[in-house]
Amino acid sequence: MTGPEIALRIDLNGNIRELDIGTARSQQIRVIGRALLDSIQAVDFIRQPTDPDIVVLARVHRDQQAPNLHAARAVHELAAPLPHLIQGEVVFAGYTAAGDLTGLPEGAADTIRAACQSL
């Protein structure tokens, strides 16, 4: 039996909440949509040396929200400087080569947690 499929929600204060997104796409969309309180949109993809890659998901309607400096720091630690600001709360999840959402790789989750604590 495999463990839960964990994604991480980062709020504007750097607080992290683990989300068990499951394996069914409908459940994943529902869980992430509830966590962000809106429809979701992929705002960044971070390639990893091994599958899965990482996707950063945010609200569709986030234009009036403040930049999420904690999420930006996490992206910087995982890949490279952001080409754009990430606004509002975000969810980091795994993303397979087949285009499916999955849990974060453990090392990436540790990096995200450390980045949020370092600000």
Side-chain angles (χ1 to χ4, degrees):
M1 181 175 173
T2 62
E5 298 291 330
I6 298 298
L8 296 177
R9 178 188 180 274
I10 314 297
D11 71 16
L12 294 175
N13 294 321
N15 298 316
I16 298 172
R17 188 171 87 207
E18 286 189 1
L19 305 172
D20 182 353
I21 60 172
T23 57
R25 184 154 179 81
S26 60
Q27 177 185 355
Q28 293 169 338
I29 298 303
R30 186 176 64 251
V31 169
I32 295 169
R34 284 182 183 160
L36 296 176
L37 301 173
D38 197 354
S39 298
I40 60 175
Q41 177 179 48
V43 294
D44 210 352
F45 293 93
I46 303 167
R47 301 289 175 218
Q48 298 292 289
T50 59
D51 205 29
D53 290 327
I54 298 169
V55 61
V56 182
L57 304 162
R59 295 176 182 180
V60 169
H61 304 97
R62 64 186 179 284
D63 292 340
Q64 302 303 317
Q65 293 193 338
N68 190 327
L69 301 178
H70 300 280
R73 173 69 184 229
V75 170
H76 177 79
E77 294 294 325
L78 289 167
L82 279 175
H84 55 86
L85 288 176
I86 296 176
Q87 293 172 264
E89 293 81 11
V90 299
V91 172
F92 286 81
Y95 189 79
T96 69
D100 298 319
L101 290 176
T102 188
L104 283 168
E106 187 174 324
D110 293 342
T111 299
I112 293 165
R113 286 184 180 99
C116 287
Q117 292 174 349
S118 69
L119 283 182

